[in-house]
């Protein structure tokens, strides 16, 4: 077995505790890294998932009051990527097909003898390792995105020895004047356009990063005779043994910065012109923090005369500055290496306002000086504060809906079941329908509250297969589904499932009788149409508003959720009349393949 020392925590759910204990014993004996906890039903299993870190779930299919696929669907709400292996003694092609459609990671039938546990252990380890590898790749890609603060930066990922290009964005072609295809064919090709005087230093840095240390270097790139200065930051991504397995980083074009530095060194007069006419507030101080000069914009914003500010220590006007720490920071700040951070300036009347500071250390006429360019970000902070308040209100709302409403609903449904067992009444059916509608409202409200928080991991999804799987989960009565050249689309599978299910429910609930629902392809997207009674022109935008419904059966949130999902993907939607006189939802600007 794999000699990795990282424990694989497995949850085994089986209604036969003797079999579960036996399987746990053999799994832990077969693979010492596997640690098994057991549950005799899905409810206990979900509780363990909420309390314990689990790497893989192994579940029986046939259990009292439920089955393994229903358990999977419950689990996926909070654990969309957790490996799930259906391990059942009730094997059939139908169950296997349902399991695959439901999104199980693997499917294994119970057999006689102990050799089956070796197979199961291998399946568990493979599923967990693939899941961890996928997560590591996603984290690497996320780090790449976070590293690049500006769209012009070149993002890259290489193998640890720089012999394989794993990723580079299109900014490389603009900065290097070379094609990505050529770089993929020869990953070290980028060295050819580095200035000969800098090429040796770049190779040395590449070797250092391959050995496991992050490095930053500045060098020149020559494209058609033009010299471009760049700064490259490279960082190794280590495996579980602490060895480099990938290298990620970014290259930033700093040519303009270098030119500015040269201009500042060569022309004090030009600096003064920029200093006086800049729309930003500018202050210059020395290494002790004493203000040497300010522009008029700075003085006016703080309510001082410029002469009154000269000689003051920075910490008398910047409430965020702590003198000793600031001096240490200034001492270590390299020359011509700008830094950005936020601060808070205090006006003469005692009021304060937030600013974004761009600080650079320069040699001005032989003197060590620090130039701070400040920009008022009061409006930005106000927007951020309002957004935070909105998110807090949304969290409180979701908490009330999910706990304070769902709990009494569950109590009411339980009491209704007890009442139905004790007596008969026509009112019980109406009461049950009302409670079901309240549950549907709670589900839709929670979906609206959390839909934007879902991770937008995109994959190619076969729309025909997904539509058929969704149709099987919707109460469709006598309705029928047809697919008409439905394409494969690049989308978040779980959110696309939610979109289709809501459109199907809308067609069935508002169609005015048994309807035929069609899912088909467009030139740059897909559509969902029905032959029901349609939606009048004047209501076609209103139906996407939260709470809007023309049916006593609906919650009024289904199409609002559809609209949210379309927006999260960057798609466009249009509601028109179908060829059969019903409703047709066109979804466009979709990447198909």
């Amino acid at each position: 077995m794999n000699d990795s020392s990282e424990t694989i925590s497995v949850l085994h759910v089986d209604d036969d505790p003797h079999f579960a204990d036996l399987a746990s014993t053999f799994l832990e004996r077969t693979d010492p890294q596997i640690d098994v906890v057991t549950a005799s039903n899905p409810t206990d299993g979900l509780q363990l998932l909420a309390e314990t870190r689990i790497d893989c779930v192994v579940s029986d299919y046939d259990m009292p009051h439920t089955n393994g696929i229903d358990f999977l669907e419950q689990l996926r709400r909070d654990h969309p990527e957790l490996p799930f292996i259906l391990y059942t003694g009730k094997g059939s092609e139908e169950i296997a097909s349902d399991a695959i459609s439901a999104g199980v990671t693997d499917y294994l039938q119970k057999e006689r003898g102990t050799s089956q546990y070796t197979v199961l252990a291998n399946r568990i380890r493979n599923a967990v390792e693939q899941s961890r590898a996928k997560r590591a790749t996603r984290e690497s890609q996320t780090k790449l995105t976070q590293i690049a603060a500006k769209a012009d930066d070149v993002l890259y990922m290489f193998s640890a020895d720089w012999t394989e290009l794993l990723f580079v964005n299109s900014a490389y072609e603009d900065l290097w004047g070379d094609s990505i295809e050529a770089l993929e064919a020869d990953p070290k090709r980028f060295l050819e356009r580095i200035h000969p005087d800098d090429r040796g230093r770049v190779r040395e840095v590449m070797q250092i990063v391959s050995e496991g240390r992050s490095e930053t270097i500045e060098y020149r790139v020559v494209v058609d005779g033009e010299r471009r200065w760049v700064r490259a930051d490279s960082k190794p991504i280590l495996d579980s043994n602490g060895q480099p397995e990938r290298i990620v980083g970014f290259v930033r074009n700093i040519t303009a910065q270098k030119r500015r530095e040269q201009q500042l060194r060569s022309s004090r007069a030009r600096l003064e012109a920029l200093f006086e006419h800049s729309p930003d507030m500018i202050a210059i101080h020395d290494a002790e923090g004493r203000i040497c000069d300010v522009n008029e914009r700075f003085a006016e914003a703080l309510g001082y005369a410029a002469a009154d500010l000269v000689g003051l220590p920075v910490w008398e006007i910047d409430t965020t500055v702590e003198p000793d720490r600031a001096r240490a920071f200034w001492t270590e700040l390299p020359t011509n290496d700008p830094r950005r951070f936020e601060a808070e300036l205090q006006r003469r009347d005692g009021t304060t306002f937030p600013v974004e500071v761009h600080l650079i250390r320069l040699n001005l006429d032989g003197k060590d000086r620090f130039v701070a360019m400040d920009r008022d970000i009061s409006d930005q902070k106000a927007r951020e504060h309002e957004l935070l308040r909105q998110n807090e209100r949304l969290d409180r709302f979701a908490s009330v809906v999910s706990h304070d409403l769902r709990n009494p609903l569950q109590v009411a449904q339980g009491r209704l079941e007890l009442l139905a067992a004790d007596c008969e009444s026509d009112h019980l059916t109406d009461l049950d329908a009302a409670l079901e509608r309240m549950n549907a409202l709670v589900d839709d409200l929670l979906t609206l509250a959390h839909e934007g928080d879902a991770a937008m991991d995109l994959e190619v999804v076969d729309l025909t297969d997904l539509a058929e799987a969704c149709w099987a989960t919707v109460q469709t009565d006598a309705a029928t589904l047809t697919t008409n050249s439905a394409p494969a689309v690049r989308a978040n599978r779980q959110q696309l499932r939610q979109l289709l299910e809501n459109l199907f429910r809308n067609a069935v609930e508002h169609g005015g009788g048994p309807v035929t629902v069609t899912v088909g392809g467009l030139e740059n997207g897909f559509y969902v149409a029905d032959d029901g009674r349609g939606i009048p022109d004047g209501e076609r935008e209103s139906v996407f508003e939260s709470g809007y419904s023309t049916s006593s059966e609906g919650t009024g949130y289904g199409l609002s959720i559809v609209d949210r999902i379309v927006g999260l993907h960057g798609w466009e939607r249009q509601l028109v009349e179908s060829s059969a006189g019903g409703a047709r939802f066109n979804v466009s600007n979709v990447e198909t393949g």
Side-chain angles (χ1 to χ4, degrees):
M1 300 298 292
N2 192 305
D3 60 356
S4 171
S5 60
E6 187 172 358
T7 299
I8 297 176
S9 181
V10 176
L11 169 62
H12 186 191
V13 179
D14 196 297
D15 61 326
D16 184 344
H18 299 294
F19 178 79
D21 289 342
L22 178 65
S24 300
T25 300
F26 275 99
L27 284 173
E28 292 176 346
R29 182 179 299 175
T30 302
D31 190 333
Q33 269 69 60
I34 291 180
D35 183 18
V36 183
V37 294
T38 63
S40 59
N41 57 73
T43 300
D44 291 346
L46 291 172
Q47 183 64 34
L48 282 169
L49 282 170
E51 300 171 349
T52 310
R53 183 187 69 83
I54 297 297
D55 297 309
C56 180
V57 174
V58 176
S59 174
D60 191 12
Y61 173 79
D62 197 1
M63 293 179 282
H65 311 299
T66 187
N67 60 52
I69 294 179
D70 290 339
F71 175 37
L72 171 61
E73 291 176 351
Q74 297 178 61
L75 176 149
R76 283 287 182 252
R77 296 170 187 170
D78 296 321
H79 308 277
E81 296 184 355
L82 184 64
F84 187 100
I85 297 175
L86 195 64
Y87 183 44
T88 175
K90 188 176 182 179
S92 71
E93 292 183 2
E94 181 180 357
I95 292 176
S97 176
D98 290 344
I100 293 171
S101 298
V104 297
T105 308
D106 208 339
Y107 174 86
L108 185 64
Q109 188 172 347
K110 295 177 183 177
E111 299 177 351
R112 293 182 179 180
T114 60
S115 61
Q116 62 179 319
Y117 302 114
T118 301
V119 176
L120 179 58
N122 284 329
R123 298 281 184 91
I124 291 171
R125 176 170 289 280
N126 290 338
V128 171
E129 288 179 349
Q130 290 175 11
S131 175
R132 288 173 176 172
K134 180 179 179 182
R135 184 169 63 249
T137 300
R138 185 168 61 250
E139 290 173 353
S140 296
Q141 293 172 340
T142 299
K143 289 177 182 177
L144 277 176
T145 303
Q146 293 172 342
I147 289 173
K150 298 181 179 179
D152 293 337
D153 292 344
V154 178
L155 295 173
Y156 60 82
M157 180 187 295
F158 282 88
S159 59
D161 59 1
W162 300 87
T163 60
E164 182 182 0
L165 176 66
L166 303 176
F167 170 81
V168 69
N169 64 343
S170 59
Y172 167 79
E173 296 183 336
D174 295 331
L175 188 54
W176 251 260
D178 193 20
S179 70
I180 293 176
E181 290 77 10
L183 184 62
E184 289 174 336
D186 181 6
K188 293 188 178 181
R189 177 186 176 89
F190 72 93
L191 289 167
E192 297 174 2
R193 299 203 175 182
I194 295 177
H195 193 285
D197 293 345
D198 299 336
R199 203 171 295 158
R201 292 190 301 113
V202 173
R203 290 184 183 275
E204 291 175 1
V205 167
M206 291 169 62
Q207 181 60 37
I208 290 172
V209 178
S210 291
E211 294 171 355
R213 195 173 75 194
S214 300
E215 283 291 327
T216 300
I217 184 175
E218 294 182 2
Y219 55 87
R220 290 160 292 179
V221 176
V222 182
V223 180
D224 296 331
E226 176 191 355
R227 293 183 181 182
R228 302 172 181 176
W229 275 96
V230 301
R231 180 169 59 245
D233 286 79
S234 300
K235 178 180 179 180
I237 303 299
L238 307 180
D239 61 19
S240 59
N241 297 317
Q243 297 301 312
E245 62 177 4
R246 290 184 302 280
I247 294 170
V248 298
F250 72 96
V251 179
R252 178 166 298 168
N253 188 341
I254 60 171
T255 305
Q257 172 191 324
K258 287 291 186 179
R259 290 172 179 169
R260 284 196 301 269
E261 293 169 3
Q262 183 179 4
Q263 291 169 353
L264 288 171
R265 288 192 298 267
S266 64
S267 177
R268 174 67 180 181
R270 294 181 63 183
L271 175 63
E272 290 177 350
L274 173 65
F275 179 78
E276 290 300 333
H277 297 97
S278 172
D280 292 329
M281 299 172 285
I282 301 179
I284 301 176
H285 65 81
D286 61 20
E288 292 300 316
R290 294 285 174 179
I291 296 175
C292 303
D293 201 358
V294 299
N295 67 350
E296 286 299 323
R297 176 77 181 86
F298 189 95
E300 290 173 0
L302 271 67
Y304 287 90
D308 294 337
L309 289 167
V310 175
L312 288 179
V314 172
W315 43 88
E316 286 195 11
I317 59 171
D318 186 345
T319 62
T320 64
V321 174
E322 195 282 314
D324 291 338
R325 292 182 61 186
R327 289 192 185 98
F329 171 73
W330 296 329
T331 299
E332 296 175 0
L333 182 65
T335 302
N336 303 322
D337 186 9
R339 301 297 172 89
R340 183 180 67 85
F341 51 88
E342 293 183 2
E344 186 176 75
L345 298 185
Q346 181 171 286
R347 301 183 182 92
R348 190 166 196 162
D349 62 9
T351 60
T352 61
F353 62 99
V355 293
E356 180 182 78
V357 181
H358 292 260
L359 182 68
I360 186 170
R361 184 177 189 172
L362 298 175
N363 185 321
L364 299 180
D365 296 336
K367 297 177 181 179
D368 192 20
R369 291 293 182 260
F370 298 83
V371 180
M373 292 171 280
D374 302 340
R375 180 166 298 177
D376 190 338
I377 56 172
S378 299
D379 291 342
Q380 172 187 326
K381 287 297 181 181
R383 289 192 297 270
E384 291 176 357
H385 179 68
E386 179 59 27
L387 182 60
L388 180 61
R389 290 180 57 196
Q390 291 176 3
N391 287 339
E392 289 174 349
R393 289 196 298 268
L394 188 61
D395 288 341
R396 289 195 297 270
F397 167 75
S399 176
V400 169
V401 171
S402 64
H403 182 272
D404 296 357
L405 292 183
R406 196 183 293 281
N407 282 358
L409 275 175
Q410 291 175 344
V411 171
Q413 285 180 314
R415 293 295 184 183
L416 177 61
E417 292 180 10
L418 295 174
L419 183 61
D422 292 341
C423 63
E424 295 183 1
S425 171
D426 293 339
H427 298 299
L428 295 178
T429 300
D430 294 338
L431 182 57
D432 183 61
L435 289 175
E436 285 297 329
R437 186 168 186 274
M438 291 177 71
N439 265 318
L441 276 168
V442 169
D443 289 340
D444 282 354
L445 287 171
L446 286 175
T447 299
L448 279 172
H450 294 300
E451 196 64 53
D453 296 332
M456 284 298 292
D457 291 332
L458 305 182
E459 60 181 293
V460 176
V461 181
D462 188 304
L463 197 59
T464 297
D465 291 345
L466 185 61
E468 292 173 352
C470 293
W471 189 260
T473 65
V474 175
Q475 185 67 35
T476 55
D477 299 326
T480 57
L481 172 71
T482 63
T483 55
N484 182 17
S485 301
V489 301
R490 186 166 175 78
N492 178 278
R493 179 182 292 273
Q494 187 61 29
Q495 292 191 10
L496 182 56
R497 173 184 286 272
Q498 183 80 49
L499 180 147
L500 291 175
E501 289 179 352
N502 284 14
L503 290 178
F504 291 166
R505 291 191 188 96
N506 182 76
V508 172
E509 292 173 1
H510 300 274
V515 296
T516 296
V517 178
T518 304
V519 179
L522 300 172
E523 182 178 353
N524 63 340
F526 62 92
Y527 68 87
V528 178
D530 63 66
D531 58 358
R533 59 191 174 194
I535 300 173
D537 287 346
E539 299 179 16
R540 288 178 184 169
E541 282 302 315
S542 301
V543 296
F544 292 101
E545 298 174 1
S546 295
Y548 184 92
S549 179
T550 60
S551 168
S552 61
E553 301 295 327
T555 67
Y557 294 97
L559 294 183
S560 178
I561 294 171
V562 169
D563 191 47
R564 178 77 64 87
I565 294 172
V566 167
L568 286 172
H569 281 82
W571 299 338
E572 297 178 2
R573 52 90 180 152
Q574 182 185 28
L575 175 54
V576 298
E577 182 177 329
S578 71
S579 60
R584 171 168 162 155
F585 295 83
N586 294 331
V587 182
S588 58
N589 196 28
V590 180
E591 182 180 347
T592 59

